[in-house]
Amino acid sequence: MRRPPAPETPRPPLAAILRDVRAVVFDTDGVITDSAQVHAAAWKTAFDAHLRIHPPADPEMRRPFDVRDDYLRHVDGRSRLDGAAAFLTARGLDPSPGTVRAVAEEKERLFTERLRKHGVDAYPGTVRLVLALRRAGVPCAAASASRHAGELLSLAGVLNLFDLLVDGGEAARLGLAGKPEPDLFLEAVRRLHVPARRAAVAEDALAGVEAGRRGGFGLVIGVDRAAGDDTAERLLRHGADIVVRDLGELVAGGEAK
């Protein structure tokens, strides 16, 4: 006797805003993994030490590096060298290549030390969305200005969830401009064979959502994991179409606001 076909496993529905999206590019730090906190802590230690040794002439500029405001404004989403140069310039300090490289290398040392010691986790809501997209036949890419992206995703156990990764090493090899230029994201969708206008970008950095807007992406999703500040408004001003606290909101019919 022929057995009836097994019932299909129900697919988690995607939010309506994702209905026409044919590919999604996810930033890594702060979107897929909680490594943004590790980056911010390493930057703070490196910058605060530099501020103590080379105090700016203006006393107001001597304040310590803020892991929320300064991180989002100057370094989040950028390459290490671009981030170091942006912060030093903002504080009226020497942004010469040698100084920038020294600060960036110290941050790299601190970040690697903390990463190997504590590891990272993937955000469950992001994993939930990626799995839902994959079940719906929507390819997903990971992108990051960091050369550590592959290691981060592997440590978090989610590297195999993504169809491809474009990281800082690839960006350097191909000569891609850093955010807020859209080169990194455009390279990801090029490899997925999907035009940017039919794709979405998920980003938590101001420079990142601006890159998505400049790249002509059909949907730019801002991720604001903080509460009680103006980050959501800033993400919208810089190019996000919507802002969510967690990407899991885009599964099971949850609409972003």
Side-chain angles (χ1 to χ4, degrees):
M1 178 183 243
R2 187 174 181 182
R3 294 181 180 179
E8 292 187 6
T9 302
R11 295 181 178 181
L14 296 169
I17 200 167
L18 293 172
R19 189 171 298 151
D20 297 324
V21 168
R22 290 176 49 195
V24 181
V25 182
F26 293 81
D27 176 54
T28 300
D29 299 307
V31 175
I32 302 172
T33 67
D34 63 5
S35 47
Q37 300 172 51
V38 187
H39 279 291
W43 277 121
K44 178 172 177 58
T45 301
F47 281 135
D48 286 355
H50 191 79
L51 287 167
R52 286 194 298 271
I53 297 170
H54 306 283
D58 183 351
E60 172 61 24
M61 294 296 183
R62 298 174 191 170
R63 65 188 183 279
F65 178 84
D66 186 280
V67 294
R68 282 296 301 167
D69 186 67
D70 286 325
Y71 181 72
L72 286 172
R73 189 182 300 274
H74 303 299
V75 301
D76 191 20
R78 303 177 189 269
S79 70
R80 283 184 296 115
L81 294 178
D82 287 348
F87 178 77
L88 293 176
T89 299
R91 293 298 182 93
L93 294 171
D94 173 24
S96 65
T99 300
V100 167
R101 190 175 303 109
V103 174
E105 287 176 354
E106 176 62 6
K107 180 267 174 180
E108 179 76 353
R109 184 189 70 79
L110 292 163
F111 175 78
T112 302
E113 181 181 279
R114 292 167 192 242
L115 179 64
R116 304 283 160 76
K117 185 175 181 180
H118 301 292
V120 294
D121 293 315
Y123 288 106
T126 300
V127 173
R128 187 168 171 238
L129 176 59
V130 173
L131 290 173
L133 287 164
R134 288 174 61 89
R135 292 190 188 106
V138 179
C140 299
S144 175
S146 171
R147 295 172 183 265
H148 291 285
E151 181 181 8
L152 289 168
L153 295 173
S154 294
L155 286 171
V158 295
L159 181 60
N160 64 345
L161 294 184
F162 296 90
D163 294 274
L164 59 88
L165 164 67
V166 183
D167 65 2
E170 278 292 276
R173 183 180 70 82
L174 297 172
L176 303 179
K179 303 171 190 175
E181 296 304 318
D183 298 26
L184 196 69
F185 296 150
L186 291 175
E187 177 63 19
V189 290
R190 185 190 70 78
R191 296 184 184 190
L192 291 175
H193 308 290
V194 175
R197 69 181 184 278
R198 300 298 304 277
V201 166
E203 255 285 3
D204 69 323
L206 302 180
V209 294
E210 186 174 340
R213 177 59 53 233
R214 290 187 185 189
F217 281 80
L219 177 65
V220 180
I221 306 165
V223 181
D224 172 22
R225 300 193 185 278
D229 61 16
D230 65 344
T231 304
E233 288 75 13
R234 292 164 71 185
L235 288 166
L236 291 168
R237 287 199 303 270
H238 279 77
D241 294 301
I242 61 168
V243 175
V244 296
R245 293 288 190 192
D246 184 272
L247 288 171
E249 296 174 32
L250 299 178
V251 184
E255 294 290 347
K257 297 180 181 180

